[in-house]
Amino acid sequence: MIARALGIRRPTIVQWLRQKEYMDNRGWSKGKKRTHTEAEERRIIALKKERTRRKAYFHGRTYIQMDYAKAYPDAPLPSTWFIRDVIARNGLQSQTVTMRRHQQNIVARLLFPERSITALGELQQAGDFIGKKFITGSSEPISFFSTSYYTGFDLHHIWRILAETAPSATQCLTAWWTRFPVANVFRMDNGTPFRGPVKVEACIGRFLKFLLNLGVTPLFSAPYQSYTNPHIEGHNSTFAAKVWRTQHFTSHEQIDTECDRFNAESEEFFRWKFKEQLQKTNLRYLTAMDTMDADVLRSTQGKKIHFIRFVEQWTERNDIAGIVVLNRFVEMPTLYLNQYVFVTLDLETARLTIISEQKGQCHKIFNKPFPYTC
């Protein structure tokens, strides 16, 4: 059909389709755009420069695409790859593009459980405390909590909080989930505010009770390995690079103003990009009728906590291979050393299941009792 439409021999079409790169004499003049116009390019350049001029916090091609749609509502929307190409060719990148090949190799080589994580739920969210900051003329530390969706939606939010505690995090998330959909999964690091009492083994802390009572599945990233929670870590780096380091803060009010501006830019994109998805009736929001209980785990039926763990040798335990789950050491077969495993604590049965995932296939290592307290 293509050959007939173009008046070209079929073998020639087959040869073209097998090629990954094309020579200049491919049927249109060198430098001529096949689907986009010079006017579109000029508009993209202007929109990118405008974001830079007003010191916007987000400069990515999807945000430029949003600006284009709002500025030219009757015009065809340029693709994100074309926007990226225009920005690159005109030297308008806001930051150096980094390669993620090393991280991708780690995921494949160390058997990171990607499929197991994805299967936990459609809408997944991450949260973290940003390292303490200080402003001129004050020795008092300033703390922040940040959160973002990393599957289903794209939305980031930052709060200045009193301290890095479980109540601060629950307060932020309660406010978040009254305005934005409640996530199926909440991913976090292994800090005490999230995990619970540091000196008590297998204790379900206040923050975990808060999530579980709301029907949100907790997921812990691997300890001391930030790339196992890359979404929120990257978001925090953006805050540090674009908000904190570019301005001279002298008051809490100034900080709150910039955090609000950062959040507003992110929400603007969220409301534009996901307008249709937000009309879905299966999305859940917190209401005044919901009980935000973090003192008591109301039910264990169907409740599970998940962990990403890296199997290591522990010198303090005579080089035994193992992992730590809620401050409790769990011995592992030596053959699983130096790889990731996916751990599930079933609160209803008080049992721990550990699986190894390879190329999307899961193999159960063992299932054993794991008593815990609340």
Side-chain angles (χ1 to χ4, degrees):
M1 186 181 298
I2 296 173
R4 286 197 300 271
L6 297 178
I8 299 173
R9 296 176 62 249
R10 185 174 182 276
T12 302
I13 299 295
V14 173
Q15 184 180 8
W16 284 359
L17 295 176
R18 287 175 179 171
Q19 293 178 1
K20 295 183 179 179
E21 298 180 359
Y22 298 89
M23 303 299 292
D24 286 334
N25 55 343
R26 56 187 183 267
W28 63 92
S29 302
K30 181 178 179 180
K32 182 180 179 181
K33 300 172 183 61
R34 197 174 187 184
T35 58
H36 295 283
T37 66
E38 297 292 344
E40 287 177 316
E41 181 163 344
R42 288 193 298 270
R43 290 171 177 176
I44 290 169
I45 293 172
L47 291 169
K48 173 66 175 179
K49 288 182 176 180
E50 173 58 21
R51 275 199 168 259
T52 302
R53 185 196 64 77
R54 60 186 175 88
K55 298 181 179 179
Y57 286 125
F58 297 93
H59 294 258
R61 58 186 183 272
T62 51
Y63 285 83
I64 302 300
Q65 189 182 54
M66 175 188 68
D67 292 343
Y68 195 101
K70 291 185 175 183
Y72 308 101
D74 298 326
L77 193 63
S79 62
T80 54
W81 69 261
F82 177 68
I83 295 173
R84 180 180 59 183
D85 179 62
V86 170
I87 291 172
R89 282 191 289 102
N90 289 274
L92 298 175
Q93 298 98 321
S94 300
Q95 60 185 7
T96 304
V97 179
T98 57
M99 295 298 291
R100 297 185 179 180
R101 188 173 302 168
H102 175 64
Q103 191 175 102
Q104 293 170 348
N105 288 340
I106 289 176
V107 168
R109 178 167 50 85
L110 302 182
L111 307 184
F112 192 78
E114 288 185 288
R115 182 175 180 181
S116 298
I117 294 170
T118 302
L120 293 178
E122 180 179 354
L123 184 56
Q124 301 195 13
Q125 184 175 339
D128 194 14
F129 295 102
I130 301 176
K132 295 181 184 296
K133 308 295 182 184
F134 296 86
I135 61 176
T136 302
S138 176
S139 60
E140 295 181 355
I142 300 174
S143 300
F144 297 89
F145 179 76
S146 69
T147 190
S148 66
Y149 296 119
Y150 61 92
T151 65
F153 294 119
D154 183 3
L155 178 64
H156 310 277
H157 209 90
I158 297 171
W159 294 265
R160 180 178 62 84
I161 57 176
L162 182 62
E164 296 182 359
T165 63
S168 293
T170 57
Q171 184 178 4
C172 292
L173 290 174
T174 299
W176 168 282
W177 285 329
T178 57
R179 298 185 60 226
F180 308 111
V182 178
N184 305 118
V185 178
F186 188 83
R187 191 166 175 174
M188 66 207 119
D189 65 21
N190 295 268
T192 303
F194 298 134
R195 187 181 72 243
V198 68
K199 296 183 179 180
V200 183
E201 277 192 5
C203 179
I204 309 301
R206 290 177 55 84
F207 186 75
L208 290 175
K209 294 173 191 174
F210 166 77
L211 294 180
L212 293 164
N213 286 337
L214 291 179
V216 179
T217 300
L219 171 63
F220 285 95
S221 59
Y224 310 113
Q225 297 177 357
S226 59
Y227 61 81
T228 62
N229 194 8
H231 321 280
I232 197 67
E233 293 293 339
H235 173 51
N236 293 350
S237 297
T238 299
F239 170 78
K242 294 188 176 182
V243 182
W244 193 259
R245 296 174 191 163
T246 59
Q247 302 188 55
H248 181 69
F249 292 106
T250 58
S251 68
H252 289 173
E253 292 74 18
Q254 185 184 4
I255 294 171
D256 292 341
T257 297
E258 290 306 310
C259 285
D260 289 344
R261 189 163 74 89
F262 183 94
N263 297 336
E265 285 189 23
S266 181
E267 184 176 347
E268 180 190 18
F269 175 77
F270 169 76
R271 298 291 182 190
W272 172 78
K273 180 69 174 180
F274 303 102
K275 182 178 180 180
E276 293 184 3
Q277 291 93 314
L278 289 171
Q279 304 303 315
K280 293 181 179 179
T281 57
N282 63 338
L283 296 176
R284 183 165 64 99
Y285 299 81
L286 296 187
T287 68
M289 303 298 293
D290 291 300
T291 303
M292 313 308 165
D293 191 0
D295 295 321
V296 178
L297 183 59
R298 295 197 297 266
S299 171
T300 62
Q301 185 175 4
K303 306 295 186 184
K304 297 178 181 180
I305 303 174
H306 302 277
F307 308 80
I308 305 166
R309 287 295 182 262
F310 188 71
V311 184
E312 301 176 87
Q313 273 187 319
W314 294 71
T315 54
E316 62 270 33
R317 294 180 178 271
N318 298 320
D319 291 332
I320 294 176
I323 60 175
V324 173
V325 177
L326 294 179
N327 299 330
R328 178 179 292 167
F329 182 78
V330 179
E331 185 175 348
M332 295 284 297
T334 305
L335 61 95
Y336 293 103
L337 266 175
N338 300 320
Q339 72 156 79
Y340 286 101
V341 291
F342 189 73
V343 183
T344 299
L345 170 57
D346 189 323
L347 299 179
E348 186 175 1
T349 61
R351 297 188 69 85
L352 196 73
T353 301
I354 301 181
I355 66 170
S356 174
E357 180 181 314
Q358 182 180 16
K359 295 182 179 180
Q361 299 298 315
C362 297
H363 166 69
K364 184 185 294 184
I365 299 174
F366 58 68
N367 178 293
K368 61 192 299 184
F370 194 89
Y372 63 89
T373 58
C374 291

